[in-house]
Amino acid sequence: MSNKYNDIDPQETTEWLESIEDALENHGYDRTRHLLETLISFAQKKGARLPFNTNTPFLNTILPSQQPDYPGDRKLERSIKSIIRWNAMAMVVKANKETPGIGGHISTYASAATLYEVAFNHIFKGPDHEKGQDLIFYQGHASPGIYARAYLEWRLSKENLHNFRRDLSKEGGLSSYPHPYLMPDFWQFATVSMGLGPIMAIYQARFMRYMTNRGLMEETGRKVFAYLGDGEMDEPESVGALTLASRESLDNLVFIVNCNLQRLDGPVRGNSKVIQELEGSFRGAGWNVIKVVWGSDWDELIENDKSGLLLKRFEEVVDGELLKYVVMGGAYIRENFFGKHPELLEMVKDFSDDDLAKMNLGGHDPVKMFAAYNEAINHKGAPTVILARTIKGYGLGEAGEGRNITHNQKKLNEKELISFRDRFNLDFSDKKAMNAPFYRFEKKAKEYKYLKEKRKALGGSLPVRQDRSSPLKIPPITVFQELLDGTGEREISTTMAFVRLITILTKDKKIGKHIVPIIPDEARTFGMDPLFRQLGIYASKGQLYDPVDSEQFLYYKEAKNGQILEEGINEAGAISSFNAAATSYSNHGIKMLPFYIYYSMFGFQRVWDFIWAAGDMRARGFLLGGTAGRTTLNGEGLQHQDGHSHLAAAATPNIKAYDLSYAYEISIVIHHGMKEMCEQDKDVIYYLTLENENYKHPPLPKGVEADIIKGLYKIRSTEKPTVRLLGSGPLMGEVLAAADLLKNDWGVDPGIWNVTSFSELRREAEEVERWNLNHPGKKQKQSHLEKRLSKHRVPTIAVSDYVKMVSEQIAPYVPGKYYALGTDGFGRSETRENLRRFFEVDRYYIVLTAMRALALDGELDMFKVDEVIKKYNIDPEKPSPITV
Ligand SMILES: Cc1ncc(C[n+]2csc(CCOP(=O)(O)OP(=O)(O)O)c2C)c(N)n1
Ligand SMILES: [Mg+2]
């Protein structure tokens, strides 16, 4: 036993140890634990300051005596696993032989094969399991092994494997990593951006509880498994939500960290021990930790380690050194590891160097792994992490086992292929092996039957992604009648209009309970606090206290069946909840409609990678960037004022982004979106920016609904316009004011249009342009922009509260000259009025731009433009907002 302190009375120590041994033998673990905890607590009360220690010895958590019998046929499983290993390797090797540079990870699955195979054969519940399907987050770059298994099950063809990393191949390729967008019947979760998998898995497990606690789904014991790399655990997102998982007692969640001690460039922790560090983090966060460090080959040595010297060596050797043992082999291990103490050398005197090199590690031992899984899925009250020690590139020998070169190693030479074959006792000739053929068992073979039977017993093949949800009937648009009618003299913000809308939706008999409002601590900012009481905030433990504001109407009401996910200051967690809810239709067969509302600056800019993954996972829901618009959010300043999220949204393929001005626009867009998601099963995410500027909202004009969705509709027409103004979102007010100035001060009567979505306009125009390009001989099509704007070829002035590139997206498709006013540059803490002047997007700059455009077109004299500058006190020498 390792001990940092001098033992001044070994006799006394031995007596204590003997008492504990007695307790263990006579009363078992629980009693022993009780005794020790009581002793510790007593000593602490008496003032003993015991050091905080989250670690246990560097040994397996589960003792050999506690291991259950292995439920499978080890021999058959090994031959199946060996073929899977071979195919996974061959897939990468072949791909790179034929298309050098196509890439692929060869060594990750090699390290993880046993972790997966034990679970595929004995643990994972498939889609037809009576208790429902488990959800599995595969380590993204272990995909070759997952494909290789599907091939053995005859779910994929040889051609598919051949076309690994060739998504565009005719016979059907296999995507590099888990991408549900590209393989919607196979993968469920997009995991390859390191760090997203772990936090999304936590929030997925939490969302499952939300669904059961709200009575939408039955609790059947389904689990979430997340396979992660030890290097990946360095991502802040990987560890950022660990305490949520224990606080929520997510015993439906199992992490498996593939501790091969390496990432791409080198060791994860060369100078210490990543397993021990992770153990500390997870234990500290309240998780059940199962270490699977040593394989059965070590059991006897560990059992015989009476002096504690072996454990001492285990604990003092750093990971960098452990990695060296893998590469250097038995003689080196004997000399450098055991050689430190004669007693240790003595322990292994009957082991050959070869024996020492082959001593298996925990993550490569099916018995150890099964014991760990078995405990993990039966553990109650807390999530479990299995820290499994593996070897990167296991079986690749000199071609990459345990070496830092593993990622770059995509080609194996003939000798290496033959030694891989021998390593796993595969039954092909040298000649055959050198071609790296794909191999699978015939359907009558016992291996095939075994594989299939195991999966059948567990509910079918995995991975699989399905949509078993039924459509949700969206109520008619008239449910939003009060918003469509306008606000009369009442001034409200678009945020308030949205809050009204979601209140109406949550009260709807049919879809109300499917709405999932998600907020990271800004509900009061957005005026959503009335929902607290109406819907309740989800809290798995209910409300165990009387809130300070319980006397008030809008008190902070937490409830076990609460509907609101109030995530606290945690955008990464909130978007993970969004992703869980937005994919519920496929993961749980129940359509849910998440509305995630947040400070828009902390959306795309902060969690775009998650939003990208949402797109990949075919998520359906609404993102609402609140307090948006660089000049509309006054006071907050540089870090809060968003003027660019629409650029990011425009570049995300399945996002439809809208910058809205009026309550009726919000109603129409959201209604349309809900119909697409719930009735037409379209995988779309809507992004709406909402603002907090109050103004009057007019009623819905006649016949503009379809144009609002397309992105541009007419606000005011003039007989013969000489100039056209396009306004968007909160700056519509400035555009209308500018139109009045133009008319009253300068006798110019512009046409006015409202742009609800620059990106939707651009996409449609691009599609039309593309069609025309490809069909030169056919009648050419017109885009929405052309249809609406080509009647008058006049200059266009476009104004938005976003960087100019947002409105410039449509410039190539708008007839006539195009001038964009926007908010490029860092924000400032200021009043709205001053901000608009600073960014040169206020009514006066709109007039100035319009007048100059007319002058450039020869419609009026340039001296008139000078008059504009003078009349409105525009400072021609004002520094540029972009550079100042
Ligand atoms: C966010 C992110 N950064 C970088 C990468 C590139 N990358 C792919 S695999 C890998 C190393 C992973 O190491 P580890 O998590 O230890 O997994 P192992 O392959 O060792 O099992 C890296 C850096 C990525 N996929 N995602
Ligand atoms: Mg690793």
Side-chain angles (χ1 to χ4, degrees):
M1 197 135 316
S2 71
N3 197 338
K4 296 183 210 100
Y5 310 98
N6 276 339
D7 194 346
I8 52 167
D9 188 349
Q11 174 63 31
E12 190 187 33
T13 310
T14 310
E15 281 165 20
W16 280 77
L17 290 178
E18 278 167 8
S19 316
I20 293 168
E21 192 152 32
D22 275 355
L24 273 170
E25 268 167 26
N26 298 327
H27 305 289
Y29 295 109
D30 285 345
R31 170 78 187 144
T32 313
R33 183 173 165 165
H34 172 75
L35 285 173
L36 289 172
E37 282 176 355
T38 309
L39 285 177
I40 289 169
S41 163
F42 181 77
Q44 276 167 336
K45 262 193 239 147
K46 293 283 172 192
R49 303 219 176 157
L50 304 180
F52 177 67
N53 184 9
T54 48
N55 278 127
T56 63
F58 193 51
L59 294 171
N60 292 343
T61 308
I62 301 172
L63 295 182
S65 57
Q66 297 163 330
Q67 286 164 195
D69 289 339
Y70 193 73
D73 180 331
R74 293 279 306 276
K75 200 161 159 266
L76 267 185
E77 287 187 16
R78 185 179 146 81
S79 59
I80 292 167
K81 185 169 66 184
S82 298
I83 293 293
I84 294 178
R85 286 178 180 286
W86 175 269
N87 287 332
M89 176 276 296
M91 210 183 300
V92 181
V93 168
K94 262 194 194 325
N96 284 276
K97 204 166 169 187
E98 279 168 31
T99 322
I102 202 98
H105 294 253
I106 209 167
S107 46
T108 298
Y109 180 75
S111 65
T114 302
L115 311 185
Y116 286 115
E117 277 307 293
V118 171
F120 274 122
N121 284 325
H122 306 290
I123 305 291
F124 295 154
K125 297 193 285 292
D128 299 320
H129 196 283
E130 54 174 15
K131 297 196 166 159
Q133 183 176 348
D134 290 332
L135 300 178
I136 301 149
F137 290 70
Y138 299 92
Q139 214 185 335
H141 54 295
S143 60
I146 311 301
Y147 292 135
R149 168 169 252 271
Y151 174 64
L152 253 63
E153 288 190 73
W154 289 69
R155 297 176 65 207
L156 293 177
S157 68
K158 199 172 266 187
E159 288 68 38
N160 293 143
L161 258 59
H162 216 92
N163 290 320
F164 173 54
R165 290 194 163 223
R166 302 278 304 279
D167 283 318
L168 303 178
S169 66
K170 277 212 183 68
E171 311 85 18
L174 297 176
S175 62
S176 49
Y177 303 118
H179 293 304
Y181 189 80
L182 302 173
M183 296 179 63
D185 303 327
F186 197 81
W187 297 115
Q188 290 186 295
F189 302 107
T191 48
V192 80
S193 175
M194 319 242 120
L196 304 195
I199 188 168
M200 288 198 300
I202 291 175
Y203 279 85
Q204 177 62 249
R206 196 301 206 90
F207 184 73
M208 282 163 76
R209 287 283 155 80
Y210 169 90
M211 294 291 280
T212 50
N213 280 331
R214 287 193 54 214
L216 288 157
M217 194 164 94
E218 261 180 61
E219 168 58 55
T220 57
R222 292 168 67 206
K223 304 277 176 196
V224 176
F225 294 91
Y227 287 80
L228 314 165
D230 47 0
E232 177 174 19
M233 293 312 294
D234 277 345
E235 292 283 4
E237 291 89 346
S238 302
V239 288
L242 295 186
T243 50
L244 174 107
S246 50
R247 199 182 326 128
E248 297 281 312
S249 310
L250 298 180
D251 50 22
N252 56 344
L253 176 66
V254 182
F255 272 16
I256 302 93
V257 186
N258 175 12
C259 295
N260 52 30
L261 315 187
Q262 279 175 288
R263 39 184 166 72
L264 293 188
D265 289 345
V268 181
R269 290 287 181 277
N271 293 321
S272 58
K273 285 184 141 57
V274 70
I275 292 181
Q276 295 298 84
E277 182 179 326
L278 287 173
E279 174 183 45
S281 304
F282 278 94
R283 275 168 63 98
W287 285 53
N288 174 42
V289 178
I290 304 176
K291 288 196 288 194
V292 189
V293 186
W294 310 106
S296 304
D297 294 347
W298 291 86
D299 282 350
E300 212 180 306
L301 286 182
I302 293 169
E303 173 81 35
N304 293 336
D305 179 31
K306 300 294 176 218
S307 66
L309 275 177
L310 182 62
L311 175 60
K312 186 166 179 289
R313 278 304 282 144
F314 282 161
E315 297 204 328
E316 66 196 14
V317 168
V318 293
D319 283 0
E321 185 66 15
L322 284 175
L323 285 169
K324 186 136 191 181
Y325 297 149
V326 175
V327 174
M328 299 297 286
Y332 183 90
I333 298 173
R334 187 187 308 277
E335 185 184 336
N336 291 277
F337 181 77
F338 294 100
K340 277 269 148 70
H341 303 283
E343 295 96 313
L344 292 184
L345 277 178
E346 177 65 22
M347 277 171 98
V348 292
K349 70 173 189 317
D350 296 334
F351 289 62
S352 70
D353 286 351
D354 207 31
D355 291 340
L356 288 184
K358 280 197 186 136
M359 304 261 291
N360 67 351
L361 295 174
H364 295 289
D365 186 333
V367 173
K368 301 282 179 201
M369 278 313 297
F370 179 75
Y373 282 123
N374 190 50
E375 181 179 317
I377 59 175
N378 290 305
H379 188 78
K380 295 275 177 284
T384 292
V385 60
I386 299 173
L387 301 172
R389 167 80 165 102
T390 62
I391 291 175
K392 197 147 174 168
Y394 185 73
L396 291 174
E398 287 181 12
E401 191 171 86
R403 285 161 210 255
N404 292 336
I405 54 166
T406 46
H407 181 55
N408 299 329
Q409 183 73 36
K410 316 273 183 228
K411 292 181 193 164
L412 265 58
N413 63 31
E414 295 175 348
K415 190 175 138 238
E416 288 162 347
L417 285 166
I418 289 171
S419 64
F420 191 102
R421 178 204 61 186
D422 294 343
R423 172 77 179 74
F424 295 108
N425 309 319
L426 300 172
D427 188 20
F428 354 108
S429 67
D430 285 6
K431 196 160 158 248
K432 223 174 158 196
M434 287 188 278
N435 279 329
F438 296 129
Y439 180 86
R440 68 178 157 197
F441 302 104
E442 289 305 317
K443 289 191 170 168
K444 55 184 186 310
K446 57 183 185 309
E447 289 87 351
Y448 173 80
K449 285 189 184 141
Y450 183 86
L451 186 77
K452 280 305 233 195
E453 270 161 23
K454 286 286 166 202
R455 283 314 317 157
K456 195 164 168 228
L458 283 164
S461 295
L462 287 173
V464 69
R465 181 182 179 280
Q466 298 175 337
D467 177 3
R468 295 180 175 183
S469 69
S470 25
L472 260 187
K473 185 93 191 94
I474 302 300
I477 184 80
T478 44
V479 287
F480 301 135
Q481 197 59 45
E482 58 175 279
L483 296 167
L484 300 175
D485 287 345
T487 58
E489 286 307 302
R490 208 158 66 90
E491 299 201 331
I492 67 163
S493 66
T494 44
T495 308
M496 285 156 79
F498 166 73
V499 174
R500 189 61 208 129
L501 178 143
I502 198 161
T503 308
I504 296 169
L505 276 182
T506 50
K507 285 188 174 154
D508 185 85
K509 292 238 152 38
K510 286 217 173 71
I511 63 165
K513 61 179 193 295
H514 295 263
I515 307 289
V516 185
I518 306 171
I519 324 159
D521 202 39
E522 293 289 354
R524 293 186 200 273
T525 312
F526 300 139
M528 290 176 76
D529 35 350
L531 293 182
F532 285 172
R533 187 185 156 114
Q534 183 201 322
L535 305 176
I537 293 163
Y538 173 70
S540 57
K541 298 187 168 66
Q543 190 154 37
L544 305 176
Y545 60 97
D546 185 25
V548 287
D549 49 1
S550 59
E551 302 291 300
Q552 289 166 24
F553 186 66
L554 301 180
Y555 79 99
Y556 196 84
K557 180 184 162 195
E558 300 195 62
K560 191 164 177 176
N561 62 356
Q563 190 164 352
I564 299 171
L565 287 171
E566 159 61 83
E567 302 294 13
I569 311 161
N570 181 357
E571 282 78 12
I575 191 78
S576 298
S577 276
F578 174 85
N579 286 354
T583 53
S584 170
Y585 69 95
S586 103
N587 294 325
H588 310 302
I590 301 166
K591 287 187 165 74
M592 299 301 286
L593 270 172
F595 286 81
Y596 171 31
I597 180 164
Y598 51 89
Y599 252 120
S600 89
M601 193 65 155
F602 308 134
F604 277 89
Q605 177 157 300
R606 186 135 184 164
V607 294
W608 193 1
D609 209 12
F610 288 92
I611 298 175
W612 194 257
D616 189 347
M617 295 187 297
R618 298 173 169 267
R620 301 175 187 171
F622 293 88
L623 296 173
L624 302 124
T627 62
R630 184 100 75 209
T631 68
T632 308
L633 176 60
N634 53 3
E636 290 285 355
L638 186 152
Q639 190 74 62
H640 282 67
Q641 290 162 338
D642 166 33
H644 47 282
S645 61
H646 274 290
L647 264 193
T652 313
N654 42 8
I655 288 203
K656 298 191 179 190
Y658 288 86
D659 181 23
L660 302 173
S661 310
Y662 301 126
Y664 62 77
E665 294 172 6
I666 298 174
S667 312
I668 285 176
V669 170
I670 291 185
H671 189 259
H672 185 80
M674 292 193 300
K675 279 181 108 57
E676 284 193 340
M677 295 170 206
C678 298
E679 292 181 0
Q680 298 153 25
D681 278 329
K682 286 195 184 166
D683 303 325
V684 279
I685 298 170
Y686 275 65
Y687 175 54
L688 274 59
T689 37
L690 301 172
E691 290 83 18
N692 62 358
E693 181 177 359
N694 293 328
Y695 47 79
K696 292 171 197 151
H697 293 242
L700 172 69
K702 274 217 164 59
V704 294
E705 290 91 333
D707 283 9
I708 288 176
I709 299 300
K710 286 183 179 145
L712 171 106
Y713 70 100
K714 196 188 291 173
I715 293 280
R716 191 191 294 167
S717 58
T718 35
E719 223 6 78
K720 275 206 156 156
T722 48
V723 67
R724 173 162 56 218
L725 304 182
L726 304 187
S728 178
L731 288 187
M732 204 56 220
E734 291 300 319
V735 167
L736 292 173
D740 288 345
L741 292 176
L742 278 168
K743 192 162 188 188
N744 299 334
D745 294 352
W746 312 98
V748 173
D749 197 8
I752 307 176
W753 299 79
N754 184 322
V755 178
T756 49
S757 175
F758 286 106
S759 46
E760 285 303 290
L761 289 173
R762 180 188 168 92
R763 280 183 189 160
E764 192 252 1
E766 275 191 339
E767 284 302 303
V768 168
E769 180 67 20
R770 186 177 165 272
W771 191 91
N772 289 343
L773 175 74
N774 285 303
H775 304 87
K778 296 247 166 74
K779 186 170 178 269
Q780 300 285 282
K781 293 184 178 178
Q782 276 202 321
S783 67
H784 181 61
L785 279 167
E786 279 176 312
K787 278 186 205 149
R788 292 290 176 267
L789 303 182
S790 58
K791 200 164 144 204
H792 303 288
R793 227 188 143 73
V794 297
T796 298
I797 322 297
V799 193
S800 87
D801 213 2
Y802 292 84
V803 290
K804 293 185 189 99
M805 274 166 77
V806 171
S807 60
E808 278 168 358
Q809 287 182 82
I810 62 168
Y813 306 104
V814 175
K817 278 200 186 150
Y818 193 89
Y819 302 84
L821 299 189
T823 57
D824 298 66
F826 281 128
R828 296 288 191 284
S829 323
E830 257 301 345
T831 64
R832 217 166 260 149
E833 201 184 339
N834 287 345
L835 283 168
R836 288 180 179 166
R837 173 143 289 215
F838 175 78
F839 282 104
E840 303 170 4
V841 292
D842 69 3
R843 59 198 66 181
Y844 307 110
Y845 275 96
I846 300 172
V847 173
L848 174 61
T849 313
M851 292 292 280
R852 179 165 170 274
L854 287 169
L856 289 173
D857 259 22
E859 295 285 328
L860 48 85
D861 280 333
M862 201 52 92
F863 77 84
K864 273 272 175 208
V865 185
D866 242 342
E867 275 182 34
V868 174
I869 293 208
K870 289 197 191 90
K871 185 170 175 65
Y872 301 133
N873 291 323
I874 290 174
D875 173 6
E877 305 312 325
K878 174 180 162 299
S880 157
I882 303 172
T883 52
V884 69

